[in-house]
Amino acid sequence: MYNSQFELGPVALNVRNLVLQSLFYQQVLGLQDLSQSPNQVDLGVGQNPLVRLIQTEQEGNVNKSYGLFHLALVLPSREDFGTIFRHFIDNKIPLQGASDHGYSEAIYLADTEGNGIEIYRDLPQDTWDVRPDGRIIGKTEPMDAEAVYALGKKADAAYQMPAGSRMGHVHLSVQESTASSRFYQEVLAVEDKFSLPSASWLASGAYHHHLAVNEWGGKNLQMRTAGMPGLAYYTVIYHDAAAYQSMLERAQRQGLLPTITSQEVVFTDKDGITTRALLAAPGQS
């Protein structure tokens, strides 16, 4: 539908309290425990992993470093969106906001260690404000909370995120948004769909954004290092081998020294943010 070269896979977070964070993602977001080891838990919907939690012993506040601004899970329908909103409200889950962006309706919250989360549903594509050059103009207005709540179903049991939910986009906190936007455009071949002096929204194909970058945290945050609480990496998944190979060649032309295996490329930007790019096996969804 969006003619994108890739889709987004799991977002991996380094967490200090693996048990508490795992409970949050299961009980608050309704994700399922797909697999676990003493130091790692994979959570998702059905067989689709969405969030990986990795135990770290490092201390630190996630808001003091570059990395994740928020991960964003998109639900299949407005009714599904209403159901999770009703779950949040009925269970008094602390929320940070709820907005109508013109191309989506979105709810914002944070996990127990301060990692940002967006839950959203896309509005019909033919209602988006798409300009002749392909740019997609968004807005930030209050969400019609009463209408969304009224569409939701009251859960008879513990809330579970519905089948078809997926990682819709990843929003990154960076030092220089213009430089980061240019970097991701050059390596991932995403296009600038909308930008401000301090932020850019980037997408492959006709989607509103797969990635966003902003410098709203300021110029003096810590660069990411291995094991630092917060974003460990995010994942992009290619289904076309030629598109995957082109991405690898662009990364190498940028002077990156990616870690390369037969079906995985891992590279890190100047802020210490790591991208894990995978080539899906034939027939793998």
Side-chain angles (χ1 to χ4, degrees), residues 172-200:
L172 302 172
S173 170
V174 300
Q175 187 177 49
E176 300 281 353
S177 65
T178 300
S180 292
S181 174
R182 185 167 57 248
F183 171 82
Y184 287 108
Q185 288 181 64
E186 290 170 346
V187 177
L188 296 178
V190 288
E191 298 176 345
D192 182 342
K193 296 295 183 177
F194 183 71
S195 59
L196 302 170
S198 60
S200 294

Side-chain angles (χ1 to χ4, degrees), residues 21-268:
Q21 284 281 67
S22 177
L23 287 173
F24 173 90
Y25 282 91
Q26 291 176 70
Q27 296 178 359
V28 175
L29 296 191
L31 300 184
Q32 301 160 27
D33 183 344
L34 302 183
S35 67
Q36 60 177 283
S37 66
N39 298 310
Q40 181 175 297
V41 177
D42 288 344
L43 303 138
V45 174
Q47 298 302 309
N48 183 28
L50 296 173
V51 176
R52 169 169 286 178
L53 304 176
I54 304 168
Q55 178 72 56
T56 183
E57 301 307 318
Q58 291 189 30
E59 296 295 324
N61 185 322
V62 298
N63 296 317
K64 301 297 183 182
S65 61
Y66 298 113
L68 187 70
F69 186 70
H70 61 238
L71 60 86
L73 297 168
V74 57
L75 305 187
S77 71
R78 199 182 195 206
E79 289 75 14
D80 292 322
F81 184 66
T83 297
I84 197 171
F85 183 55
R86 177 183 282 266
H87 160 67
F88 289 157
I89 297 301
D90 291 354
N91 289 284
K92 297 181 171 56
I93 304 300
L95 302 178
Q96 298 175 333
S99 298
D100 177 351
H101 291 303
Y103 47 72
S104 70
E105 291 177 303
I107 305 164
Y108 299 92
L109 66 162
D111 69 18
T112 65
E113 296 185 6
N115 295 291
I117 298 166
E118 176 182 340
I119 305 294
Y120 73 106
R121 71 103 182 181
D122 284 323
L123 276 71
Q125 191 176 3
D126 60 7
T127 67
W128 299 357
D129 184 359
V130 182
R131 301 301 164 90
D133 61 0
R135 290 170 67 81
I136 299 171
I137 309 303
K139 62 183 182 181
T140 299
E141 296 180 355
M143 184 183 80
D144 187 344
E146 290 186 2
V148 171
Y149 185 91
L151 281 173
K153 296 179 180 178
K154 185 172 178 61
D156 295 326
Y159 173 76
Q160 288 201 327
M161 190 168 282
S165 301
R166 57 185 174 81
M167 191 64 65
H169 64 265
V170 178
H171 195 143
L172 302 172
S173 170
V174 300
Q175 187 177 49
E176 300 281 353
S177 65
T178 300
S180 292
S181 174
R182 185 167 57 248
F183 171 82
Y184 287 108
Q185 288 181 64
E186 290 170 346
V187 177
L188 296 178
V190 288
E191 298 176 345
D192 182 342
K193 296 295 183 177
F194 183 71
S195 59
L196 302 170
S198 60
S200 294
W201 288 259
L202 311 165
S204 175
Y207 199 49
H208 50 77
H209 66 295
H210 292 100
L211 290 179
V213 294
N214 78 65
E215 57 186 63
W216 302 330
K219 302 294 187 180
N220 299 307
L221 301 183
Q222 294 177 281
M223 303 297 172
R224 295 210 65 72
T225 56
M228 180 180 285
L231 183 66
Y233 59 82
Y234 72 95
T235 311
V236 295
I237 301 173
Y238 289 83
H239 294 275
D240 181 79
Y244 175 81
Q245 182 62 32
S246 295
M247 175 275 302
L248 171 57
E249 292 170 0
R250 290 191 301 270
Q252 292 172 323
R253 285 199 299 270
Q254 288 301 308
L256 298 173
L257 297 173
T259 302
I260 304 170
T261 65
S262 61
Q263 290 187 306
E264 177 176 319
V265 174
V266 180
F267 61 86
T268 301

